[in-house]
Amino acid sequence: MKYSRYINRELSWLDFNERVLEEADCKTNPLLERLKFLAITASNLDEFFMVRVGGLALNTETQSALTGIAGLDAGEQLKAIRKKVLAFNEMQDNCFHELEELLANERICRVSSAEDLTEDQQKYLRDFFVDEVMSTVAPVAVDQTGRLPLLTGARLCVCVRMKAHPETQLMSRKERAAKKSELDASDDPVNDRFIVIPLGKSIKRIVSVPFSEGFVYILLEDLIRMFVSELLVGQEIVETSTFRLTRNADISLNEDDLSDLLAGMEQLLTHRKTTGCIRLEIVDSASLRMRRYLQDVADVEEEFVYTTSGAIDYNAFAAVAGIPGFKNLKDAPWPPQQAPEFQNRNPFDVIAEGDRVLNHPYQSYDPVIDFIRAAAVDPNVIAIKQTLYRTARDSKVAEALITAAENGKNVTCIVELKARFDEARNIESARRLENAGVDVIYGV
């Protein structure tokens, strides 16, 4: 009774994400907006696992007996989280299948096998695979130590199970017999070999297919599976399966003990690539042999394995939700309004007349950008001081600050290095600013 007034933070967050999924299920929302909400729930869940679940997993490794305000220790929270996530994933899959059927009626179709394609479409995709995909993917054989090659977290992969050539069968008869008893009775695991194909980052996952009307597409992993024999010539392929690993990103940096925060953050980002796996996602069509193999080489316990009957990482479908056209399947656009007092005027002149208030996002952010740009070239401006928390790859603010520094102004900028999951981009922006002569202070 002591804790009956409190709700566990992690379970409460999962309830929140379920409410987002309800928007994807809402029949009054346009179809592509519903697909966008589904994508948002997947992105949210990824970060939840990397941070919240990752932190709890670390607590269980240290055998911490600490309990949260709701009275649950780390192990109890992980069990409760898994129960809710399993139910949530099923709701996601059901929503996805429903949306796919409805979108197909609106001429937005996903294909996944050669049987779904005409001869001309098959030829187009084969040429695309040979010309564009084969040069960007690198099949990696898992060596006999059984160790999976280093895969960065949240990177989609295709695992190929093949029959081995006789000369690769190095196990003794006793070893083969012992191994075989652990696997599917219908399989012959003695001959198994496995290849992992990480998806190339330079190729978009949504690959459009030529069609007379509407929008037809195939997922990159399905395209690879369709033409995998072009990559692995002469191999006897037993099965292919898509999977993804999520690594623990809840690693902290004590800035008080560091003489160089930037170097420490770069080391942390490198370390994040090799942290333990706290989720293995795999399609439910994978055989037990495939699933057990991936668990073994990735060192993932059963309670961190999640299967899907749809697709892994629904966040990718945000690209489908944003395809041109199909206005009847989207919300009416609501662009920010321009502030009339700033139109075609120097921001300094406008501000000199009196204080101005801009209401974002309903009003455009352009006057703020124009103000910084004007300051960068105004001969009366001698110094600019700015704080950046998250930066875009083509940050207009950063470009204006660089221009100001190149024009001889004293520019000081605080860059937040611990903006979660944007650390690498902020480091890149900070280096560009420094190279241009900006005095950069690293915020914490």
Side-chain angles (χ1 to χ4, degrees), residues 270-290:
T270 301
H271 178 54
R272 185 181 283 174
K273 298 177 182 179
T274 60
T275 55
C277 298
I278 41 84
R279 182 176 57 168
L280 166 62
E281 297 172 275
I282 187 169
V283 292
D284 61 3
S285 58
S287 68
L288 180 61
R289 166 64 171 149
M290 174 73 79

Side-chain angles (χ1 to χ4, degrees), residues 95-333:
C95 178
F96 175 70
H97 294 312
E98 178 187 353
L99 290 177
E100 272 211 314
E101 184 176 345
L102 294 172
L103 287 170
N105 295 334
E106 300 289 344
R107 298 176 292 110
I108 300 176
C109 305
R110 178 173 72 100
V111 294
S112 58
S113 64
E115 290 73 22
D116 301 328
L117 303 166
T118 64
E119 289 187 9
D120 288 342
Q121 289 172 332
Q122 288 185 42
K123 182 181 184 305
Y124 169 84
L125 288 179
R126 185 186 180 282
D127 291 343
F128 178 84
F129 179 82
V130 172
D131 296 338
E132 303 292 338
V133 179
M134 283 184 65
S135 60
T136 65
V137 297
V140 181
V142 180
D143 62 26
Q144 292 188 17
T145 63
R147 295 186 62 184
L148 196 67
L150 178 61
L151 300 173
T152 54
R155 187 173 183 181
L156 210 63
C157 303
V158 174
C159 187
V160 184
R161 177 183 168 204
M162 306 175 300
K163 292 294 184 182
H165 295 301
E167 60 270 18
T168 66
Q169 300 175 24
L170 303 178
M171 289 187 291
S172 68
R173 183 177 302 175
K174 183 177 180 180
E175 288 173 328
R176 291 198 297 267
K179 193 71 175 175
K180 185 172 183 177
S181 64
E182 301 174 9
L183 306 171
D184 299 343
S186 60
D187 294 333
D188 184 6
V190 175
N191 297 325
D192 283 351
R193 285 196 304 156
F194 290 88
I195 296 287
V196 172
I197 307 174
L199 268 60
K201 297 180 180 180
S202 59
I203 302 285
K204 294 182 179 179
R205 188 177 170 195
I206 306 297
V207 180
S208 61
V209 180
F211 197 68
S212 57
E213 59 180 7
F215 180 74
V216 179
Y217 67 97
I218 186 171
L219 296 178
L220 181 57
E221 62 266 30
D222 290 332
L223 180 65
I224 291 175
R225 293 170 62 191
M226 188 181 302
F227 297 107
V228 70
S229 59
E230 302 281 347
L231 273 174
L232 308 173
V233 179
Q235 303 298 317
E236 184 180 350
I237 296 170
V238 179
E239 68 170 314
T240 57
S241 181
T242 309
F243 75 96
R244 185 174 70 146
L245 301 175
T246 304
R247 295 189 180 276
N248 189 350
D250 188 40
I251 47 181
S252 59
L253 183 71
N254 187 353
E255 58 273 4
D256 294 334
D257 296 334
L258 288 175
S259 58
D260 188 339
L261 182 61
L262 179 63
M265 182 57 67
E266 289 178 322
Q267 291 176 4
L268 182 145
L269 294 178
T270 301
H271 178 54
R272 185 181 283 174
K273 298 177 182 179
T274 60
T275 55
C277 298
I278 41 84
R279 182 176 57 168
L280 166 62
E281 297 172 275
I282 187 169
V283 292
D284 61 3
S285 58
S287 68
L288 180 61
R289 166 64 171 149
M290 174 73 79
R291 175 171 164 171
R292 291 285 184 257
Y293 168 78
L294 289 174
Q295 280 185 249
D296 184 46
V297 295
D299 193 22
V300 179
E301 300 295 333
E302 183 67 27
E303 59 264 32
F304 294 117
V305 178
Y306 294 87
T307 61
T308 176
S309 63
I312 295 174
D313 184 19
Y314 289 123
N315 187 37
F317 289 89
V320 178
I323 58 175
F326 300 96
K327 294 182 179 180
N328 60 314
L329 304 182
K330 302 176 182 178
D331 284 331

Side-chain angles (χ1 to χ4, degrees), residues 423-441:
E423 301 97 337
R425 188 178 300 171
N426 282 10
I427 289 173
E428 179 183 347
S429 295
R431 291 199 184 282
R432 289 182 59 226
L433 291 167
E434 284 182 324
N435 291 336
V438 176
D439 295 326
V440 177
I441 301 171

